[in-house]
Amino acid sequence: MIMASPSKKSRRGTTRSFILILCFSFISSSQLLSQACHDVDRSALLGFKAQITNDNGNLKTWNTSSTDCCTWDHINCDSTGRVIKLEIPGVFRGPVEVLDADGVPVPEKTSMNGTLSPTLGNLSSLQYLELSELQGLEGPIPPELGNLQQLTFLNLSGNRLNGSIPSSLGNLINLETLFLSDNQLSGVVPSSIPSLKKLTITYFSGNQLTGDIPPRIIVHEDN
């Protein structure tokens, strides 16, 4: 018996189906991979949590049994699983707004107690760091934050941070905004900070700093 060979059209259809299956499999695998956070970033975040004595529920999803830190509260990652944003502002609006006597929404406040861990400096892809108005964060600013060279926004205002401003913050070559106001910082502002070429907005008020304080807006002119 002579068997009929598949037509060219049939073979093309089979080939297309096979290619589509491969593509969908690759996309699904890529999506799964993009959801898992980097081990270094996970360890860095757990190191931060270890120095927080009272998180008031802000870090309840940050636990050792959860391997994917990209799913934790207050964290955003890029498609490669690197942490690019850590944001815990102390003033926020809850799901149900509280109104004052005049019917104006009143911001709710949250707080955290503890110190800033040097492990934050291991978040090498971090672009946005906000730990502001938390009231109970104290101790020095870790010099290791100067390792975050992808950082564009840094807000540590409204805490009880003390000691001097690390000169290593002058290594943040992509920094555009720096808020350190309303802490207990002392000493001088390192000269390396106002010389950062991309830095345009700074707040240092409400501290015990001495010497020349850079203006709120710094304009850099091209030479």
Side-chain angles (χ1 to χ4, degrees):
M1 183 182 346
I2 299 175
M3 301 291 293
S5 60
S7 67
K8 290 183 178 179
K9 184 176 181 181
S10 175
R11 288 198 297 271
R12 284 198 299 269
T14 302
T15 302
R16 286 198 192 97
S17 298
F18 181 70
I19 291 172
L20 285 173
I21 291 171
L22 285 178
C23 288
F24 284 129
S25 298
F26 177 77
I27 292 171
S28 298
S29 299
S30 299
Q31 289 174 339
L32 287 173
L33 288 173
S34 68
Q35 293 174 0
C37 78
H38 198 283
D39 286 343
V40 171
D41 292 352
R42 180 173 177 271
S43 296
L45 294 173
L46 289 176
F48 167 71
K49 181 179 180 179
Q51 292 192 198
I52 299 300
T53 55
N54 180 12
D55 66 17
N56 280 315
N58 283 289
L59 308 180
K60 61 180 181 295
T61 60
W62 297 29
N63 56 71
T64 55
S65 62
S66 174
T67 58
D68 187 5
C69 67
C70 294
T71 64
W72 294 354
D73 293 342
H74 311 294
I75 298 296
N76 288 102
C77 294
D78 63 15
S79 60
T80 68
R82 300 310 301 258
V83 173
I84 58 174
K85 186 174 185 178
L86 167 54
E87 182 181 21
I88 310 178
V91 178
F92 65 98
R93 299 213 181 270
V96 178
E97 291 186 336
V98 178
L99 305 180
D100 64 14
D102 298 321
V104 178
V106 179
E108 297 181 31
K109 283 184 175 286
T110 187
S111 63
M112 292 201 311
N113 298 90
T115 59
L116 293 176
S117 173
T119 62
L120 288 174
N122 294 332
L123 298 171
S124 59
S125 295
L126 196 65
Q127 300 172 20
Y128 190 105
L129 175 58
E130 177 166 7
L131 299 169
S132 65
E133 305 293 339
L134 294 171
Q135 307 168 67
L137 279 184
E138 55 189 4
I141 298 173
E144 288 80 3
L145 293 188
N147 297 333
L148 305 176
Q149 295 201 4
Q150 300 304 312
L151 205 64
T152 62
F153 181 94
L154 175 58
N155 187 355
L156 301 176
S157 61
N159 292 299
R160 299 177 185 172
L161 301 175
N162 55 41
S164 59
I165 299 174
S167 60
S168 60
L169 295 188
N171 297 329
L172 303 178
I173 57 175
N174 288 300
L175 195 65
E176 299 172 0
T177 303
L178 175 62
F179 296 155
L180 296 178
S181 55
D182 299 319
N183 281 289
Q184 299 168 10
L185 299 170
S186 58
V188 300
V189 177
S191 60
S192 57
I193 292 178
S195 64
L196 288 170
K197 292 184 177 179
K198 295 186 178 181
L199 188 64
T200 55
I201 301 176
T202 60
Y203 284 89
F204 293 100
S205 61
N207 287 291
Q208 293 137 26
L209 298 169
T210 58
D212 294 331
I213 308 297
R216 184 179 70 85
I217 304 291
I218 303 173
V219 179
H220 294 275
E221 298 180 354
D222 295 332
N223 294 326

